[in-house]
Amino acid sequence: MSFDVAVLASHTGTNLRALTAAGRRPTSAFGVTLVISNNSGSGALAHARAQGIPCLHLSGRTHPDSDVLDRTMLAALREHGIDLVVTAGYMKKLGPAVLDAYAGRIVNVHPALLPRHGGPGMYGIRVHEAVLASGDTVSGATVHHVTAQYDEGPAIAQQQVPVLPDDTPETLAARVLRVEHRLLPDTVQALARAHAN
Ligand code: GRF
């Protein structure tokens, strides 16, 4: 009984790497069996190819019609028997066909303690700039369910990190990313085990 995970990533894919490494452990209850990126030159696709994981470049360039892109992505998820979709640094909104067919089976990792510092435009270094500007003394990572609105789905797991007085957005981002690399695989493992029971 496998628990097949698709990872959607637009850029480097360090969270993807953490997931593929965790998925290969003997105690793992899941495996990453599909990678989709909207960026043909992404580190995520390069990693998938290097690992021999099926991967797809699906974007507004490959599919200018957003409905066709949405249905093409859903067909690929179904063709690979995907049980859970993980967006990790994925900059595109998912379409209604995927959101509907995979309702309750799509999770995202966000580099802040949602509901703080989330929503449209809050991604990448901007999140950490906002945390520092707010004067918050803690930040962290959130794994949450994905819905039609950015970062509004219920949180599944969170992990705090301190915000240090001399932090820059970059030093805070690095501290949060290290936590993401544990929180995301641990959360996917828990979801896979719950699915098996
Ligand atoms: C992470 O900070 C994640 O929280 C955010 O985008 C970044 C993805 O980084 N959604 P990577 O591509 O996994 O390294």
Side-chain angles (χ1 to χ4, degrees), residues 7-18 43-44 87-91 108-112 122-125 127-128 140-142 151 173 176-177 180-181 184:
V7 180
L8 280 52
S10 298
H11 303 300
T12 320
T14 65
N15 276 292
L16 166 65
R17 293 162 195 265
T87 57
Y90 186 64
M91 296 295 129
N108 179 55
V109 59
H110 182 77
M122 289 304 281
Y123 57 84
I125 203 71
V127 174
H128 309 291
T142 303
D151 301 331
V176 173
L177 195 59
E180 293 177 45
H181 291 166
L184 183 57

Side-chain angles (χ1 to χ4, degrees), residues 80-111:
H80 287 82
I82 295 303
D83 297 296
L84 180 74
V85 178
V86 177
T87 57
Y90 186 64
M91 296 295 129
K92 306 278 290 185
K93 261 192 178 234
L94 295 174
V98 168
L99 284 169
D100 183 55
Y102 275 85
R105 297 188 291 158
I106 309 173
V107 301
N108 179 55
V109 59
H110 182 77

Side-chain angles (χ1 to χ4, degrees), residues 11-148:
H11 303 300
T12 320
T14 65
N15 276 292
L16 166 65
R17 293 162 195 265
L19 279 170
T20 55
R24 284 197 302 271
R25 291 190 196 118
T27 53
S28 175
F30 71 91
V32 176
T33 55
L34 179 63
V35 173
I36 296 175
S37 181
N38 60 310
N39 173 358
S40 59
S42 64
L45 285 181
H47 176 68
R49 284 192 286 268
Q51 296 289 313
I53 298 171
C55 57
L56 286 172
H57 169 221
L58 295 179
S59 72
R61 203 161 350 122
T62 62
H63 296 80
D65 180 314
S66 59
D67 287 338
V68 173
L69 175 61
D70 184 20
R71 287 197 299 274
T72 302
M73 184 178 289
L74 178 53
L77 295 172
R78 283 178 164 156
E79 184 187 324
H80 287 82
I82 295 303
D83 297 296
L84 180 74
V85 178
V86 177
T87 57
Y90 186 64
M91 296 295 129
K92 306 278 290 185
K93 261 192 178 234
L94 295 174
V98 168
L99 284 169
D100 183 55
Y102 275 85
R105 297 188 291 158
I106 309 173
V107 301
N108 179 55
V109 59
H110 182 77
L113 297 175
L114 292 176
R116 292 182 67 73
H117 310 300
M122 289 304 281
Y123 57 84
I125 203 71
R126 296 178 183 185
V127 174
H128 309 291
E129 289 167 349
V131 170
L132 294 178
S134 73
D136 287 354
T137 56
V138 289
S139 187
T142 303
V143 177
H144 63 97
H145 286 290
V146 170
T147 61

